[in-house]
Amino acid sequence: MSEISIAGLISHLGTTDYAVAIVNPATGKNIYELPQQSADQVKDAIATARSAQTEWAAVSVFERAKILLKFHDLLMTNEAKLLDLLQLETGKARGHAFEEYAGALNAARYFGKIAPKTLKREKTKAGVPVLTRTFVDHNPIGVVGVITPWNYPLALTVLDVMPALAAGNAVVQKADNQTALTTLFARHLAVEAGIPNDAYTVVVGDGPIVGNTITDHVDYVAFTGSSTTGRIVAQRAAGRLIGFSLELGGKNPLIVLRGASLERAAEIALAGAFGSAGQLCVSIERVYVPSDLKDKFTAALARRVETLKVGRSSDFSQDIGTLTSASQLSRVDGFVKDAVDLGARLISGGKALPDIGPYFYAPTVITDLNDNMRLNRNEVFGPIIQVYGYDDIDSAVSLANDSALGLNAAIVGPEAEAIRLASRLHAGSVNINEGFRATFASMDSPMGGMKDSGSGRRNGPHGLLRFTEAKTIGVAGGLLKLPTRGHHYNRMAPLLRLLTKILRRLP
């Protein structure tokens, strides 16, 4: 079981007019040709999903949950294949591929376990006790469009597709061209687990064409990507009055408190910044240190960064892999060169590593930045740590919050002080003595951004309920009836006033 070739995976996409070459980022060599679908093909996929959704929704939530847990087990059985695919398509180090794989496992298990309880009919407090009863059902929305980027194709697929399916929806997912095989293999395993073939479809192709077609024809859209594209998705979805959730970019800060161990803070910053070569929406980009400790911290950070092993390997011997494309390399290197040309001080790295592979880039530490530099405020999405000094904790908070983005943040130092400070940071998640994994690994906790970093939350019960419509059912019955005529109100009013007074005094 689960044995399938590249040709077998892409056969799901059907016959298309043209294809694009997909490159292994670690070597620069072509892997295969990926068919590109048209808007009409995407519309057909949505129509097919819509036809399949009614039958899938009729499957009991208990059976749907069992399928998710079987999918979880198939992920475990196919660990090596999934890690190989992730490395082949993204170029990330084996350890970072394993982190992504572990996140996918957690999501499949979590939603498989909570779905029956979270989606069951819920009794609510009636407005008129004795005379009425009320319940809430959580019904599937219909066809959910899921648009996922290239950097975390397995984890983001499971985080959004599986809860949508668990809720009884059909799903049409747009996979990024670069990482389509990982997504298609995950779908293959989902179908093997019991998801109906037509209830979960993967489509690929030009971003604006395929993405806009999905947004314009589904009943709800979950998008992960840039803030710029997220605004377009939100506008198109709002124009159709359909729901959406957006997980967008981050320019994530880390504050080092005065009582922190600088060596430990440097290691935490390193891990928080360089996961998947920094190509992670929640990765740390900005570090704020007390000004009188800045040079000492920067030196400690540089020493540690220079010991990192950068390269390609199918085992855990390398610490950091490659950037995923030529455009990523150009973007990251462009940010660094612009900053250095305008006076920033390069402490470590700051260069491509072509001897290792075409898109490898040295993990970089840079300081003495200002707003004349593009690096200062724009999300880099690469292995760059920017170090700043601060005078007091209020200025540290102000500097950390001084961004249009608010996805993730971190604080390193004495735990009690850090926890108190967390409430002052404008970010959807705050990690204490960790860069992003403390919050990101918690499936029971909501994950999403403030400000321009998104709208809505994934994970937790809400991460499942966002793919449902709440339907309230009210029942009037019993010996006493609700009034329908004037003299009925005259007789009932004293009883209702008394009931109101009693309810006011109850806990």
Side-chain angles (χ1 to χ4, degrees), residues 8-174:
L9 288 174
I10 64 175
S11 66
H12 170 70
L13 305 174
T15 303
T16 65
D17 292 336
Y18 74 103
V20 295
I22 304 301
V23 172
N24 178 343
T27 65
K29 296 179 179 178
N30 288 357
I31 309 170
Y32 71 104
E33 299 285 319
L34 179 68
Q36 299 290 279
Q37 292 172 294
S38 66
D40 285 342
Q41 286 176 304
V42 175
K43 291 176 189 176
D44 289 344
I46 294 170
T48 299
R50 196 172 298 284
S51 296
Q53 188 269 329
T54 303
E55 185 175 349
W56 171 239
V59 175
S60 75
V61 66
F62 298 99
E63 290 303 314
R64 298 198 299 263
K66 286 180 183 178
I67 291 172
L68 258 67
L69 293 175
K70 184 176 180 182
F71 172 68
H72 167 276
D73 296 343
L74 288 171
L75 290 176
M76 290 194 69
T77 302
N78 289 275
E79 175 184 332
K81 293 180 188 140
L82 288 162
L83 295 182
D84 288 346
L85 270 177
L86 285 169
Q87 288 195 280
L88 176 71
E89 294 192 304
T90 68
K92 61 180 66 179
R94 193 74 167 185
H96 297 145
F98 185 82
E99 275 192 346
E100 176 174 357
Y101 164 75
L105 278 178
N106 287 344
R109 183 177 62 250
Y110 177 79
F111 288 116
K113 286 181 174 289
I114 74 160
K117 182 178 179 181
T118 305
L119 297 173
K120 73 176 182 180
R121 176 170 287 177
E122 175 187 1
K123 186 176 181 180
T124 55
K125 292 181 180 179
V128 187
V130 180
L131 302 186
T132 62
R133 293 170 289 137
T134 49
F135 307 88
V136 174
D137 281 350
H138 300 286
N139 298 148
I141 296 172
V143 178
V144 171
V146 175
I147 303 174
T148 48
W150 50 264
N151 60 326
Y152 273 70
L154 179 61
L156 293 174
T157 291
V158 183
L159 285 165
D160 285 344
V161 171
M162 288 303 130
L165 289 168
N169 300 286
V171 172
V172 176
Q173 178 185 9
K174 181 197 175 296

Side-chain angles (χ1 to χ4, degrees), residues 226-244:
S226 71
S227 297
T228 300
T229 306
R231 285 191 180 89
I232 297 171
V233 172
Q235 289 164 1
R236 296 181 85 101
R240 297 184 56 233
L241 296 180
I242 66 168
F244 60 87

Side-chain angles (χ1 to χ4, degrees), residues 233-458:
V233 172
Q235 289 164 1
R236 296 181 85 101
R240 297 184 56 233
L241 296 180
I242 66 168
F244 60 87
S245 55
L246 310 172
E247 199 256 271
L248 308 177
K251 186 71 177 173
N252 309 304
L254 182 152
I255 297 174
V256 179
L257 300 178
R258 186 167 291 280
S261 160
L262 294 186
E263 293 290 338
R264 179 61 181 152
E267 189 70 18
I268 291 170
L270 177 152
F274 297 149
S276 293
Q279 299 169 122
L280 173 61
C281 56
V282 292
S283 66
I284 297 301
E285 294 198 4
R286 302 176 284 146
V287 179
Y288 296 95
V289 190
S291 294
D292 59 317
L293 299 176
K294 178 187 163 192
D295 289 345
K296 187 175 180 182
F297 171 81
T298 302
L301 183 58
R303 284 196 306 273
R304 289 174 177 273
V305 168
E306 287 164 6
T307 66
L308 291 170
K309 296 178 181 179
V310 182
R312 45 194 170 116
S313 173
S314 59
D315 57 26
F316 296 102
S317 60
Q318 301 298 312
D319 299 312
I320 298 180
T322 181
L323 296 174
T324 303
S325 66
S327 61
Q328 276 296 102
L329 177 64
S330 176
R331 173 186 174 87
V332 172
D333 194 46
F335 275 125
V336 174
K337 284 180 177 176
D338 172 75
V340 171
D341 288 346
L342 293 174
R345 183 160 55 102
L346 192 62
I347 304 299
S348 181
K351 60 184 179 180
L353 302 172
D355 291 345
I356 302 175
Y359 311 138
F360 282 87
Y361 197 84
T364 298
V365 179
I366 192 168
T367 189
D368 297 347
L369 297 129
N370 60 56
D371 271 348
N372 292 322
M373 305 163 185
R374 293 187 297 118
L375 179 62
N376 207 48
R377 289 190 175 273
N378 292 286
E379 181 181 31
V380 179
F381 228 60
I384 312 296
I385 297 178
Q386 303 161 218
V387 181
Y388 303 81
Y390 69 83
D391 296 328
D392 54 52
I393 200 62
D394 288 338
S395 66
V397 171
S398 178
L399 289 165
N401 288 338
D402 186 18
S403 171
L405 301 172
L407 186 59
N408 180 48
I411 306 170
V412 177
E415 185 176 306
E417 180 184 357
I419 290 175
R420 287 195 300 271
L421 193 63
S423 63
R424 298 177 60 187
L425 296 181
H426 300 162
S429 57
V430 180
N431 293 264
I432 308 300
N433 294 321
E434 170 49 37
F436 61 82
R437 292 171 295 189
T439 57
F440 199 64
S442 173
M443 283 304 308
D444 203 38
S445 304
M447 187 269 170
M450 298 180 179
K451 299 185 283 189
D452 289 356
S453 286
S455 176
R457 297 291 186 269
R458 63 161 57 98

